[in-house]
Amino acid sequence: MKTQYFAAASLDGFIATEDDSLEWLFPLGDINETSYPSFIQQVGALAMGSATYEWMVRNTHTVSGQMGAAWPYTQPTWVFSTRTLPVIPGATVTFVRGDVRPAHEAMRAAAGSRNLWIVGGGELAGQFHDAGLLDEIIVQVSSVTLGKGKPLFPRRLTNPPLRLERVKQVGPGFAELHYTVPKSNR
Ligand SMILES: NC(=O)c1ccc[n+]([C@@H]2O[C@H](COP(=O)([O-])OP(=O)(O)OC[C@H]3O[C@@H](n4cnc5c(N)ncnc54)[C@H](OP(=O)(O)O)[C@@H]3O)[C@@H](O)[C@H]2O)c1
């Protein structure tokens, strides 16, 4: 069981524009040609922040077109928010707030031997890293720059650095980088 932060980022390190647009991402390639389909098969539980969840609430049509359903996940999902949010029909969602560790315990219990996916955003992935719970970072580096936006991972992580395990090109649109987080970084 690994805790993995898997996200697509612009070349200059943003996962969304400052107004939460992902329009730049979808023309870059077919998600089914990336490592996502094999990745998601190994996932037993998901965690996401409220901006990511609310993007899915607002963009059910786009999500449906890209991924086949308005809520494409069969796995239970933990959504971090201090507010009361609507539930997307068909979604198994638990709303939580504060310390990520109790949610991580509950996710582990639900996932069994399968992996935990930290969907994003970057600050939430950083909170899991701060608690020593992040094992891997998988980034689909996209062939665009955004100039500004929502950061991939707003942490300084230098010593020791991440360990690059694999690199895969997906057409002209993506370079997938697969990193492990060294134990002494936790
Ligand atoms: N390119 C990609 O692969 C990718 C991946 C994921 C997300 N995205 C996009 O990137 C953007 C991410 O937005 P974001 O960086 O703002 O991140 P986010 O993590 O989705 O949302 C941040 C919000 O979540 C809530 N939150 C976070 N940690 C919490 C905690 N411990 N306890 C309680 N609430 C907590 C807070 O809002 P409240 O308390 O006000 O609810 C916080 O402002 C979205 O547009 C999303 O669609 C892109």
Side-chain angles (χ1 to χ4, degrees):
M1 194 283 297
K2 291 174 285 190
T3 302
Q4 301 169 305
Y5 175 36
F6 181 113
S10 63
L11 181 60
D12 52 346
F14 301 107
I15 59 170
T17 62
E18 63 273 44
D19 58 352
D20 289 310
S21 171
L22 295 177
E23 291 304 309
W24 52 275
L25 180 59
F26 302 121
L28 293 173
D30 181 350
I31 193 168
N32 293 313
E33 286 166 14
T34 72
S35 64
Y36 178 80
S38 56
F39 164 80
I40 194 69
Q41 278 185 4
Q42 303 301 317
V43 169
L46 287 67
M48 63 179 70
S50 63
T52 301
Y53 180 75
E54 288 180 299
W55 184 92
M56 296 193 72
V57 171
R58 282 195 311 275
N59 292 276
T60 50
H61 189 70
T62 307
V63 178
S64 217
Q66 291 287 322
M67 306 180 73
W71 183 258
Y73 311 120
T74 53
Q75 303 92 334
T77 300
W78 276 256
V79 175
F80 283 80
S81 182
T82 55
R83 296 170 292 125
T84 302
L85 302 175
V87 179
I88 298 176
T92 307
V93 173
T94 304
F95 294 102
V96 286
R97 63 179 70 188
D99 191 345
V100 298
R101 287 170 296 186
H104 189 264
E105 269 308 305
M107 291 170 70
R108 278 175 56 119
S113 60
R114 293 201 289 165
N115 297 325
L116 310 185
W117 178 20
I118 313 305
V119 184
E123 169 57 31
L124 183 64
Q127 291 175 43
F128 279 91
H129 177 259
D130 296 344
L133 296 172
L134 195 61
D135 299 310
E136 298 183 353
I137 300 176
I138 304 159
V139 188
Q140 297 177 320
V141 180
S142 312
S143 304
V144 296
T145 63
L146 295 176
K148 53 187 172 175
K150 300 289 178 79
L152 171 66
F153 194 69
R155 293 292 185 278
R156 186 165 299 172
L157 199 161
T158 58
N159 189 19
L162 300 171
R163 183 181 170 83
L164 181 61
E165 303 287 357
R166 284 190 295 285
V167 177
K168 180 185 170 197
Q169 179 173 355
V170 183
F174 297 110
E176 290 188 347
L177 310 181
H178 193 136
Y179 293 96
T180 50
V181 180
K183 281 202 166 51
S184 48
N185 239 328
R186 300 178 186 190

